[in-house]
Amino acid sequence: MNILTVDVGSTYTKLAAINSESHEIISTAQSFTTIDTDVMIGFENALNILTEEREDNPCAGFKYDELLVCSSAAGGLKMVALGLVPDLTAKAARTAASNAGAKVMKTYAYEISGDEEKEIYDINPDLVLLCGGTNGGNKEVIIANARRLCNIERNFTTIVAGNKSATDDIREIFTKANKNFVITENVMPEFNKLNIEPARDAIRNMFIERIIEAKGLNRLQSMTPHKIIPTPLAVLQACELLAKGTDTQQGVGDLLAVDIGGATTDVYSMASGEPTIDSTMTKGLPEPWSKRTVEGDLGMRYSLPHVFEQLDIAQQSTNIGRDKVKAWVDLCSNNPDTLATPGSEEEKIEEYLGRSAVAIAVERHCGRMEDVYTPFGLMHTLEGKDLMNVPMVIGIGGVVRNSRRPAEILKGSLYDIRHAGCTKPRSPKFYLDKKYIYASMGLLSMIDRELAFELIKKETIEIVDNKE
C-alpha cells in the first residue's frame, strides 16, 4: 500500500511517500506553502516535484492509497488559557493546550480584569480554554471569568475544563450570550492531579472544525477520510512512539526534541523529569511524561526579530557584529524564502540565531532548581522537569536539517553554568530528523504504529560533530 503524508507548514508544505510493503520512505518533497492564496497550490507544487517523471526519481508516477494530513499553516491555532491559581490550574490549562498543538498566546490566573478582557480582544484567539477550581472547590472565579469572556466581541470558541460544580451556571451564561462553547472534564479534578487528555481532545476537535476552512485546507480534508490534525500534535505522537516503542519493538527511552520552525520553536520532552540530585524536593504541579511547549516568539523567519531582541551578542562566541546580524534578520523577515549560501558569513549568522532560539526555548521548557537552607543543611527544590540526564536530543526543522554543522545549533540545548538553576541536558548525544519525517511518522502511527516506529528509528540519525 502506498501512503502519502502531507505537512502544511507555515513556510513549507512537506510530502513523504511511503510504501508499507517494502517498509520504506520512497521519497520526500517540499514546496513553499501558499497560505495567502490557496494551500492546494503549494500542495500540488510539492506533489508535482515528488512525482516528476525522471529516470532518477523513485516516485515517478506515484499514486497513493492513503492520504494523511497535518497543518501548522499561519502559525497554527491561537489560544489563551484561563485558570484559578498560576502554579496550579493555570499551568494545567497551558499544558493541555500546548500538548494539543495549540499556540498559547497568554495564560491568565484568578478573575481577569477589564484590561485583560481588552488584551484578549486584541489577541483575537481561535480558542479559549477556561479552567479553574478542583471539583467541588472554588467555582466563583470560573463563573466570573465566563461572564467576562462573554463581554469580548470576538468569534472564539470556549472550551470549559474546570470545576464541574460550575457547569450548569456556565452553560446558562454562554447560552444566553449566544457564544460558542464546549464543556469537558476538569483538567485538575483533584489537588495536584492532572487530567489533560479530555481537554486536549476537545482542542484537537475544535482545530478540525474551525481552522480547516479558515486556512484554506477544506479541499485537502475532502480528499481523505482521516481528520487533519495540528502538526505539533503529529510530532508529539512521533516522539512518544520513538520513546515508548510498540507492542513488539522496544522504544529508545527518554529524549528531548527541538522543532525549530519559521514561526515557532517547539520543544518536546519524553521523560518523567524526576530529580537527578539527592536531597531535592519537588514543588508545583506534577509534570506530564509527554510534554510539549511552544514558543511563539522564537522562529527562524516570521519570528526572527523576536529572537534578535533577546540576544546578548556581546557574550556570544561570534566575531560577527550586531549590525550584520540585524541586517540578516531584516532580510529574512521580509523574504522568508531567503537561504544562506554555504560557507558564507550569513551561514554563520543563521547557525548562531538557530542555536540562540534553541537555548531560549529549551531553557523555558526545562525545570528550575534552587538551593534551600534548612535546619538539616543544604537542600534543593525542583519546579518542573529535571532533564539533566536525558541521553538524546533530536533536532527537527529546516535550520538544523539544512545546516552543515547541526550539532553547533543543538548545543543551545546543553546545560549552561551561567544559568545553573536550569535543568538542561548535561551530556546528551545529538540526533537529526534529516528527512523531516517526524510529523509524517506521527500521522502514520495513527494507521500503522509498527511501520511508523520502524521508520522513525531508522531515519533518526546520530550527528557526528564536525567542526569546520
Side-chain angles (χ1 to χ4, degrees), residues 372-389:
V372 178
Y373 293 92
T374 74
F376 305 100
L378 176 64
M379 297 188 71
H380 314 279
T381 61
L382 170 67
E383 183 172 9
K385 278 188 170 184
D386 184 344
L387 301 177
M388 288 194 284
N389 284 351

Side-chain angles (χ1 to χ4, degrees), residues 328-380:
W328 177 253
V329 168
D330 291 342
L331 176 63
C332 293
S333 301
N334 295 325
N335 304 278
D337 57 345
T338 302
L339 299 175
T341 304
S344 66
E345 190 172 56
E346 287 77 15
E347 183 185 45
K348 294 181 180 179
I349 296 174
E350 189 85 337
E351 181 182 279
Y352 161 63
L353 290 167
R355 184 171 65 249
S356 300
V358 170
I360 298 167
V362 174
E363 182 170 335
R364 293 176 183 176
H365 181 93
C366 291
R368 294 290 183 276
M369 192 86 71
E370 293 183 355
D371 294 340
V372 178
Y373 293 92
T374 74
F376 305 100
L378 176 64
M379 297 188 71
H380 314 279

Side-chain angles (χ1 to χ4, degrees), residues 137-388:
N138 181 293
K139 66 177 185 179
E140 287 76 17
V141 170
I142 190 172
I143 291 173
N145 281 337
R147 291 194 178 98
R148 286 190 171 275
L149 288 173
C150 289
N151 295 332
I152 301 172
E153 295 182 2
R154 290 293 194 185
N155 188 31
F156 53 77
T157 294
T158 301
I159 296 174
V160 183
N163 183 355
K164 69 177 184 180
S165 301
T167 297
D168 292 341
D169 292 320
I170 290 173
R171 182 181 289 111
E172 181 180 356
I173 290 167
F174 281 116
T175 301
K176 284 184 177 180
N178 196 29
K179 293 285 188 178
N180 297 321
F181 69 100
V182 173
I183 294 178
T184 188
E185 295 179 26
N186 196 343
V187 294
M188 198 176 72
E190 300 175 23
F191 182 73
N192 265 14
K193 180 181 178 181
L194 283 178
N195 176 42
I196 65 174
E197 285 76 17
R200 184 170 75 173
D201 291 343
I203 295 167
R204 182 182 62 185
N205 291 336
M206 287 298 102
F207 170 88
I208 295 164
E209 292 180 16
R210 288 184 60 89
I211 299 303
I212 299 305
E213 188 167 353
K215 306 303 181 187
L217 298 168
N218 51 328
R219 285 177 60 196
L220 262 180
Q221 180 64 86
S222 69
M223 296 165 59
T224 173
H226 306 286
K227 292 180 178 179
I228 296 178
I229 66 171
T231 298
L233 180 58
V235 176
L236 182 73
Q237 291 175 170
C239 292
E240 289 177 347
L241 178 66
L242 181 61
K244 289 182 177 179
T246 68
D247 292 339
T248 63
Q249 302 178 82
Q250 184 175 356
V252 301
D254 292 356
L255 61 86
L256 180 75
V258 187
D259 187 355
I260 316 163
T264 68
T265 295
D266 297 358
V267 182
Y268 305 82
S269 60
M270 308 294 124
S272 65
E274 295 296 319
T276 58
I277 299 176
D278 293 337
S279 303
T280 298
M281 303 175 292
T282 58
K283 65 178 185 178
L285 272 180
E287 293 280 332
W289 177 86
S290 171
K291 176 183 177 180
R292 169 195 176 239
T293 52
V294 55
E295 306 304 335
D297 61 336
L298 302 175
M300 292 304 295
R301 287 299 177 262
Y302 298 102
S303 304
L304 200 53
H306 299 290
V307 177
F308 178 78
E309 289 171 4
Q310 299 176 71
L311 299 180
D312 187 353
I313 292 179
Q315 293 186 8
Q316 303 298 327
S317 55
T318 177
N319 296 321
I320 302 169
R322 186 178 183 88
D323 291 344
K324 289 183 178 180
V325 176
K326 180 64 164 60
W328 177 253
V329 168
D330 291 342
L331 176 63
C332 293
S333 301
N334 295 325
N335 304 278
D337 57 345
T338 302
L339 299 175
T341 304
S344 66
E345 190 172 56
E346 287 77 15
E347 183 185 45
K348 294 181 180 179
I349 296 174
E350 189 85 337
E351 181 182 279
Y352 161 63
L353 290 167
R355 184 171 65 249
S356 300
V358 170
I360 298 167
V362 174
E363 182 170 335
R364 293 176 183 176
H365 181 93
C366 291
R368 294 290 183 276
M369 192 86 71
E370 293 183 355
D371 294 340
V372 178
Y373 293 92
T374 74
F376 305 100
L378 176 64
M379 297 188 71
H380 314 279
T381 61
L382 170 67
E383 183 172 9
K385 278 188 170 184
D386 184 344
L387 301 177
M388 288 194 284

